[in-house]
Amino acid sequence: KPKIGNATNSEQTEPLGALPHGLSFIDTMFTGTDSSVEAGAKAKAAANTNTSTSNEHREHRRTKEDLKKLLAEQQSIFENTIVGVALVTDSIISKCNQSFAIMFDYSRDEVVGMPLRLLYPSDKIFAASSSENHALLKQDGYFISDAQLKRRTGTLFWTNSSVTALDRDDPALGA
């Protein structure tokens, strides 16, 4: 039995406390059999987990903020360039900037969702151009061409287009 204070070997002393199964205080400290020690270890593990989770949340929030900033920058470039830019999917204009709409004398709301065919002078010219352009997109992932297109008023004008597939392996996803 452990001794308290200045007790000598010949003196009998009481245990430091009543511990389950006859364990001494020292046994409890090193083996972790005391529930307070176990609770302390669990609390420490939980604190480490909470710190890790908190760091992950901060990093996720920072990454999300960075992506939001990057998207805003790209959107600003897309909107403010003087060059007409459009995303065409399955021969339908799915997105465009204001410069593209103005070039054809339309509002952006009128152009988005419009068949690309309506910007060509005729069905024959559109079919020939589409066939050639799709082949180039599939082969090279891009093409550059000069084409005569049509404004809302019917006025024809020449354009120089540089077109790149969003996914070279699947040009149908858009260009």
Side-chain angles (χ1 to χ4, degrees), residues 155-168:
T155 305
L156 300 179
F157 69 106
W158 284 96
T159 64
N160 179 275
S161 299
S162 175
V163 180
T164 304
L166 291 178
D167 182 346
R168 183 178 178 165

Side-chain angles (χ1 to χ4, degrees), residues 76-108:
S76 178
I77 292 167
F78 178 78
E79 294 298 332
N80 294 302
T81 184
I82 60 170
V83 175
V85 180
L87 174 62
V88 178
T89 307
D90 293 328
S91 297
I92 302 293
I93 301 166
S94 55
K95 186 173 186 173
C96 74
N97 65 1
Q98 191 64 31
S99 295
F100 183 88
I102 289 170
M103 183 171 32
F104 290 95
D105 292 330
Y106 288 100
S107 71
R108 185 184 314 191

Side-chain angles (χ1 to χ4, degrees), residues 102-106 114 117-122 125 148-158:
I102 289 170
M103 183 171 32
F104 290 95
D105 292 330
Y106 288 100
M114 176 186 285
R117 159 54 195 104
L118 297 179
L119 302 181
Y120 281 80
S122 71
I125 293 172
Q148 193 173 38
L149 298 178
K150 179 178 71 171
R151 291 191 171 96
R152 173 187 222 161
T153 59
T155 305
L156 300 179
F157 69 106
W158 284 96

Side-chain angles (χ1 to χ4, degrees), residues 46-66:
N48 288 341
T49 300
N50 287 341
T51 300
S52 175
T53 302
S54 179
N55 288 340
E56 289 172 7
H57 285 293
R58 271 194 295 277
E59 186 176 327
H60 177 72
R61 190 176 331 112
R62 192 174 316 119
T63 300
K64 192 174 178 179
E65 289 168 1
D66 289 348

